[in-house]
């Protein structure tokens, strides 16, 4: 059974930095197309960042220029470094993945395109 396990959330002040990680258990990371989402209670889950293989990454407008997503195949993990955090970044951050059946990742930020989800990690940014 494939599992995604997030870690690294926490509380920081506005302008601070956090790095969260998502470990894939049960299969090589290379088999999957992973992405990061976030959700605030009462709101829809929002796509934040997704890798585009060797091409780079795609980010939501809200985080472009501040967040960086990268992976470490050796440790089967996906990371996201979040710089210049703002109070509006406060959310539960989820790692999501779908099996790479096409041979490339489409780079979707639509939650409906992902069928494996982690339990989430809380990020809180105070002003």
């Amino acid at each position: 059974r494939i599992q995604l396990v997030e870690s690294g959330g926490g509380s920081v002040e506005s302008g601070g930095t956090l790095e969260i990680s998502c470990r894939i258990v049960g299969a090589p990371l290379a088999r999957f197309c992973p992405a990061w989402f976030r959700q605030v209670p009462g709101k829809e889950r929002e796509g934040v960042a997704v890798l585009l293989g060797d091409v780079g990454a795609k980010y939501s407008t809200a985080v472009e220029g501040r967040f960086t997503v990268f992976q470490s195949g050796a440790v089967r993990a996906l990371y996201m470094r979040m710089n210049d955090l703002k109070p509006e970044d406060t959310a539960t951050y989820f790692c999501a993945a779908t099996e790479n059946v096409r041979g490339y990742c489409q780079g979707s930020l639509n939650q409906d395109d992902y069928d494996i989800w982690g339990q989430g990690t809380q990020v809180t940014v105070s002003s």
Side-chain angles (χ1 to χ4, degrees):
R1 178 169 166 252
I2 310 299
Q3 287 185 291
L4 302 176
V5 181
E6 300 99 333
S7 61
S11 297
V12 293
E13 293 186 349
S14 184
T17 295
L18 276 177
E19 186 171 288
I20 55 178
S21 65
C22 169
R23 187 167 55 92
I24 295 182
V25 179
L29 178 61
R31 271 181 53 188
F32 298 89
C33 296
W36 285 104
F37 289 77
R38 67 185 182 185
Q39 189 170 24
V40 175
K43 292 191 176 181
E44 293 240 338
R45 194 166 292 184
E46 172 193 13
V48 176
V50 58
L51 286 173
L52 299 174
D54 295 333
V55 177
K58 182 166 72 176
Y59 301 91
S60 69
T61 303
V63 308
E64 179 104 44
R66 300 186 296 120
F67 290 13
T68 302
V69 60
F70 57 100
Q71 68 182 33
S72 170
V75 295
R76 299 181 177 182
L78 180 74
Y79 300 86
M80 186 161 68
R81 184 168 181 84
M82 305 178 290
N83 294 325
D84 190 22
L85 282 160
K86 304 175 181 181
E88 52 264 41
D89 294 318
T90 295
T92 301
Y93 284 72
F94 295 90
C95 179
T98 189
E99 191 156 7
N100 183 355
V101 296
R102 295 181 175 84
Y104 65 92
C105 292
Q106 289 186 298
S108 172
L109 288 177
N110 184 336
Q111 62 174 324
D112 294 336
D113 292 328
Y114 296 88
D115 48 14
I116 306 170
W117 292 86
Q119 82 285 356
T121 185
Q122 179 66 33
V123 171
T124 302
V125 185
S126 59
S127 57

